[in-house]
């Protein structure tokens, strides 16, 4: 048996049968099915075949030796976690974890003589683990009532996902208009579970529209789509809007009144001076 393992390691370093890498995606803690893609068109008896599954070349995941499963050479993390269907040559990996990500190689050798074997098939799978993120949730960081001239402080968080997401954007909608804003995303990874938690913050002036909806959108990698939060509705009361208008237009109106009064006073003074001048001219002519 030791000779066989040595032969396998040596064989991998030599040019072998060309094989493409088949990507496989699986959910965390689910059973993964990795196909060897071996057609066995010649109907070779399983008792004349040796089947090895390896991860990253140096870890033995499963071994079927001339029809009998062998466990002596398995890497400790795969003991009691694998099964092989010798009819379809598919490897089942139970309770897949993030540490199981990587490349898996299936190698099949045929018995030629009592002491000689020949590699007749090789294939590779690339395993990617997926863990669902929680639905993004918006929290208000400010306290008290919103004021029209104030600022809106929000955070959006999602947790327990894998792999690391791409980015988080904010969507601000009112009436039929929506615009997006990409903000900085803080990412942390749990040291034990290896799952990611993400948070993004938004700081903008309080919307002046009577009703505004704000959502956050988490964009995932691996073509997994996006997750969107429940919209947060921002409603500014009419009396606050009217008060804001008064606060804004009050000084403007006062300035306008002051300028108008000054102009009117100037006009009256000018008219009075003209009347006095006219009277003086009339007296001079009479004399």
């Amino acid at each position: 048996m030791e000779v066989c393992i040595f032969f396998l390691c040596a064989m991998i370093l030599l040019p072998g049968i060309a094989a493409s890498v088949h990507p496989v995606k699986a959910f965390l803690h689910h059973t993964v099915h990795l196909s060897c893609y071996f057609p066995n068109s010649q109907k070779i008896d399983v008792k004349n075949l040796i089947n090895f599954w390896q991860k990253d070349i140096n870890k033995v995941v499963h071994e079927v030796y001339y029809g009998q499963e062998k466990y002596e050479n398995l890497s400790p993390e795969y003991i009691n976690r694998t099964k092989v269907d010798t009819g379809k040559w598919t490897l089942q990996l139970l309770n897949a974890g993030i540490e199981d990500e990587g490349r898996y190689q299936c190698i099949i050798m045929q018995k030629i003589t009592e002491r000689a074997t020949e590699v007749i098939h090789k294939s590779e799978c690339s395993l990617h683990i997926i863990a669902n993120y929680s639905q993004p949730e918006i929290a208000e960081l400010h306290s008290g009532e919103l004021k029209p001239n104030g600022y809106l402080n929000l955070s959006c968080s999602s947790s327990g996902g894998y792999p690391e997401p791409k980015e988080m954007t904010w969507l601000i909608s009112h009436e039929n208009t929506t615009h997006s804003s990409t903000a900085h995303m803080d990412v942390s990874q749990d040291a034990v579970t290896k799952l990611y938690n993400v948070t993004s913050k938004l700081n903008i002036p309080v919307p002046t529209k009577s009703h505004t909806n704000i959502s956050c959108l988490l964009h995932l990698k691996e073509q997994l789509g996006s997750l969107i939060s429940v919209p947060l509705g921002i409603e500014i009361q009419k009396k606050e809007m009217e008060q804001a208008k008064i606060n804004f237009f009050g000084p403007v109106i006062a300035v306008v009144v002051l300028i108008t009064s000054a102009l009117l006073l100037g006009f009256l003074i000018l008219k009075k001076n003209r009347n006095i001048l006219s009277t003086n001219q009339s007296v001079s002519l009479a004399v």
Side-chain angles (χ1 to χ4, degrees):
M1 191 62 212
E2 292 178 357
V3 175
C4 181
I5 293 297
F6 173 79
F7 172 78
L8 175 63
C9 295
M11 176 273 299
I12 293 173
L13 299 176
L14 298 174
I17 300 172
S20 59
V21 179
H22 304 278
V24 177
K25 296 176 183 178
F27 285 102
L28 181 67
H29 301 315
H30 285 218
T31 297
V32 179
H33 293 83
L34 302 177
S35 177
C36 191
Y37 300 97
F38 177 52
N40 195 14
S41 55
Q42 297 179 8
K43 306 298 181 182
I44 304 172
D45 193 326
V46 68
K47 294 181 179 179
N48 292 320
L49 296 174
I50 300 172
N51 174 222
F52 281 96
W53 275 94
Q54 294 191 139
K55 178 177 184 282
D56 302 330
I57 294 179
N58 58 353
K59 293 182 179 180
V60 178
V61 177
H62 199 92
E63 180 182 352
V64 180
Y65 190 74
Y66 297 136
Q68 299 293 320
E69 294 195 352
K70 296 288 185 179
Y71 305 100
E72 297 86 353
N73 301 297
L74 297 186
S75 296
E77 61 266 40
Y78 294 105
I79 294 175
N80 297 325
R81 291 184 58 215
T82 59
K83 297 179 182 179
V84 167
D85 177 356
T86 53
K88 297 182 178 180
W89 300 95
T90 298
L91 174 72
Q92 294 183 41
L93 176 60
L94 309 178
N95 192 27
I98 292 173
E99 65 279 1
D100 291 321
E101 278 196 323
R103 286 197 173 189
Y104 290 77
Q105 189 174 50
C106 174
I107 302 169
I108 295 180
M109 295 179 286
Q110 182 179 4
K111 182 178 180 180
I112 304 300
T113 66
E114 289 298 324
R115 300 180 60 85
T117 57
E118 178 187 18
V119 177
I120 60 173
H121 180 80
K122 278 202 303 183
S123 66
E124 269 193 88
C125 295
S126 179
L127 177 60
H128 304 273
I129 299 298
I130 301 166
N132 287 327
Y133 282 85
S134 63
Q135 183 180 17
E137 186 175 350
I138 296 177
E140 299 184 50
L141 303 179
H142 52 266
S143 58
E145 294 183 359
L146 292 175
K147 301 297 181 182
N149 296 324
Y151 276 82
L152 187 62
N153 296 316
L154 305 174
S155 72
C156 182
S157 302
S158 179
S159 62
Y162 192 89
E164 182 178 350
K166 186 184 300 182
E167 65 180 8
M168 186 177 281
T169 58
W170 291 86
L171 303 177
I172 304 173
S173 306
H174 51 264
E175 297 177 352
N176 295 324
T177 304
T178 299
H179 72 270
S180 63
S181 173
T182 301
H184 173 73
M185 182 176 65
D186 293 317
V187 181
S188 63
Q189 187 177 26
D190 188 281
V192 178
T193 66
K194 305 301 181 183
L195 300 178
Y196 289 98
N197 302 317
V198 295
T199 301
S200 178
K201 294 182 180 179
L202 180 70
N203 183 271
I204 58 173
V206 172
T208 56
K209 303 294 181 180
S210 59
H211 185 78
T212 301
N213 281 328
I214 299 178
S215 305
C216 63
L217 192 64
L218 181 63
H219 302 275
L220 307 176
K221 291 181 180 178
E222 306 289 345
Q223 299 178 338
L224 298 175
S226 303
L227 295 174
I228 190 167
S229 69
V230 174
L232 174 67
I234 304 298
E235 189 84 37
I236 304 299
Q237 299 298 326
K238 290 184 178 180
K239 63 178 183 179
E240 292 179 344
M241 294 297 294
E242 291 171 358
Q243 184 62 41
K245 291 179 181 178
I246 292 173
N247 293 338
F248 176 78
F249 289 110
V252 175
I253 294 172
V255 171
V256 172
V257 170
L258 182 61
I259 294 174
T260 303
S261 299
L263 291 174
L264 181 60
L265 180 60
F267 175 76
L268 293 174
I269 293 173
L270 180 61
K271 185 176 181 181
K272 182 178 181 181
N273 289 338
R274 284 181 177 177
N275 289 339
I276 293 173
L277 180 60
S278 177
T279 302
N280 291 337
Q281 289 177 349
S282 297
V283 172
S284 298
L285 290 174
V287 172

